[in-house]
């Protein structure tokens, strides 16, 4: 269960996780991306109302906070809206500033490649565990348990390859995948959530295919679905 609303028990920690994700992402990017992320982090920290899931602040105040002019504010806010990091919930009107909400799911999806810099436990904590809604901490980097090879399937053996190559990445994304079926050269894997499946299908299928082909060259396609 992806934690997309920082409310309820553990909300304070989840707020810090969102800010950490933005910071870790920015520090691995160029100056333009770093400045945009820093401006959003500062705006969130200073003015975001987490209880109401709302950012209601005028462009003049934002300009003062960011030490820029209002034209720059308009441009940067448009960038943030364009990538889905901020969502307009109510347009500005006479005597009333625009209101936004944080696009948490999009922020987490876009910053996911930087989570590994924080650690595999961070990735697992932010995404959560769909099985019972509880967060289960992962072992620390270098202490990721190897996969069980007893099934002897191509996926079991491929997991061993993935674990050896990148234990943190394996723990965060590959370990939770299960073998759903095989039809000819097509291997189907099941992920515990829609977000998990979408991320792996978009970013990691080439790596999965390479690992599977390393143990069974008859595999020519890997598909990731959501477990039913």
């Amino acid at each position: 269960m992806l934690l997309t609303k920082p409310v309820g028990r553990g909300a304070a920690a989840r707020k810090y996780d969102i800010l950490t994700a933005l910071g870790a992402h920015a520090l691995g990017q160029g100056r333009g991306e770093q400045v945009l992320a820093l401006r959003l982090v500062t705006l969130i920290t200073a003015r975001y109302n987490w209880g109401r899931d709302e950012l209601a602040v005028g462009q003049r105040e934002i300009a003062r906070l960011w030490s820029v002019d209002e034209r720059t504010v308009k441009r940067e806010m448009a960038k943030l809206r364009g990538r889905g990091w901020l969502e307009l919930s109510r347009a500005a009107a006479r005597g009333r500033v625009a209101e936004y909400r944080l696009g948490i799911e999009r922020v987490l999806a876009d910053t996911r490649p930087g989570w590994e810099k924080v650690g595999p436990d961070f990735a697992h904590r932010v995404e959560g565990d769909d099985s019972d809604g509880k967060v289960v901490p992962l072992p620390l980097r270098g202490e990721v348990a190897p996969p069980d090879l007893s099934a002897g399937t191509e996926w079991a053996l491929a997991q061993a390859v993935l674990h050896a190559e990148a234990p943190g990445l394996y723990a965060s994304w590959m370990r939770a995948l299960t073998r759903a079926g095989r039809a000819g050269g097509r291997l189907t894997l099941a992920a515990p959530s829609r977000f998990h499946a979408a991320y792996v299908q978009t970013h990691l299928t080439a790596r999965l295919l390479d690992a599977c082909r390393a143990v069974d060259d008859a595999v020519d396609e890997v598909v990731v679905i959501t477990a039913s």
Side-chain angles (χ1 to χ4, degrees), residues 8-208:
R9 184 177 181 183
R14 290 198 286 277
K15 295 172 189 175
Y16 282 115
D17 284 343
I18 292 166
L19 296 175
T20 298
L22 280 166
H25 163 77
L27 290 170
Q29 307 300 314
R31 184 179 182 279
E33 186 74 3
Q34 289 179 350
V35 171
L36 183 65
L38 176 60
R39 285 171 174 164
L40 178 58
V41 166
T42 304
L43 190 57
I44 291 171
T45 304
R47 289 290 180 261
Y48 203 80
N49 186 326
W50 294 100
R52 297 178 60 181
D53 192 18
E54 176 187 274
L55 174 68
V57 57
Q59 290 184 355
R60 183 175 300 177
E61 186 177 355
I62 296 175
R64 185 170 59 250
L65 178 65
W66 288 354
S67 298
V68 298
D69 56 31
E70 291 186 45
R71 180 176 298 179
T72 299
V73 171
K74 291 180 181 179
R75 184 177 65 247
E76 296 293 87
M77 293 295 281
K79 289 180 183 178
L80 292 169
R81 288 180 59 189
R83 64 176 56 187
W85 287 8
L86 284 179
E87 302 170 356
L88 182 66
S89 54
R90 189 167 73 170
R94 183 180 297 274
R96 186 185 71 205
V97 300
E99 296 178 5
Y100 302 88
R101 69 173 62 88
L102 188 60
I104 296 176
E105 186 169 356
R106 183 62 181 273
V107 167
L108 294 178
D110 288 352
T111 61
R112 177 61 186 81
W115 295 0
E116 187 63 22
K117 300 171 187 176
V118 184
D121 58 316
F122 176 81
H124 196 71
R125 181 173 72 250
V126 174
E127 187 188 7
D129 184 346
D130 275 7
S131 61
D132 59 7
K134 298 178 181 178
V135 175
V136 180
L138 284 174
L140 297 177
R141 187 188 302 271
E143 299 177 347
V144 179
D148 179 5
L149 305 181
S150 60
T153 63
E154 76 286 85
W155 175 235
L157 299 175
Q159 283 182 295
V161 174
L162 294 164
H163 174 270
E165 291 179 346
L169 191 64
Y170 163 79
S172 297
W173 294 105
M174 282 81 159
R175 180 167 61 179
L177 301 176
T178 57
R179 189 180 190 274
R182 172 83 178 264
R186 181 177 182 175
L187 174 66
T188 301
L189 303 175
S193 70
R194 286 191 300 273
F195 173 81
H196 197 126
Y199 184 87
V200 173
Q201 186 70 55
T202 302
H203 299 285
L204 300 175
T205 47
R207 189 160 197 160
L208 293 176

